[in-house]
Amino acid sequence: MDDPMELAAARGDPKGYVENLSLPAVLDEVQRTPELFLPLKLRLDREGRPKALLLTGSANVLLLPRVADALVGRMAVARLLPLAQAEP
């Protein structure tokens, strides 16, 4: 979601954006588009395909109010340490 055009497309039509994803897919900086989580949940439930999405970001999406229970039981959280000592 670093690309302004991708971000606008995801925010403008979250359901359509998710439906047009080719799976498997990676969505980076997904915390910028909390409106994607309900459509993601619906698609994952319908597809029944484990490990279809990798969601990455620099913020804990579980702390976002609209996201907290959208993907319960459908995701695993992996906290990664900084790649260099200079990173916070």
Side-chain angles (χ1 to χ4, degrees):
M1 296 299 142
D2 284 330
D3 181 322
M5 297 298 286
E6 286 291 315
L7 184 59
R11 286 181 174 164
D13 182 11
K15 185 176 186 290
Y17 186 86
V18 168
E19 291 300 320
N20 288 313
L21 283 175
S22 296
L23 298 179
V26 176
L27 297 177
D28 187 28
E29 297 299 341
V30 73
Q31 77 277 0
R32 294 181 179 176
T33 53
E35 51 273 294
L36 286 182
F37 283 85
L38 183 55
L40 286 171
K41 173 188 174 192
L42 296 172
R43 180 150 183 211
L44 290 173
D45 287 351
R46 185 181 73 238
E47 302 255 341
R49 187 172 167 186
K51 302 178 185 172
L53 288 168
L54 175 61
L55 307 177
T56 68
S58 54
N60 184 347
V61 296
L62 297 177
L63 297 178
L64 300 172
R66 291 175 37 196
V67 176
D69 26 71
L71 296 177
V72 169
R74 293 166 187 85
M75 72 179 210
V77 176
R79 185 178 172 137
L80 302 177
L81 298 174
L83 299 175
Q85 287 182 331
E87 291 184 55

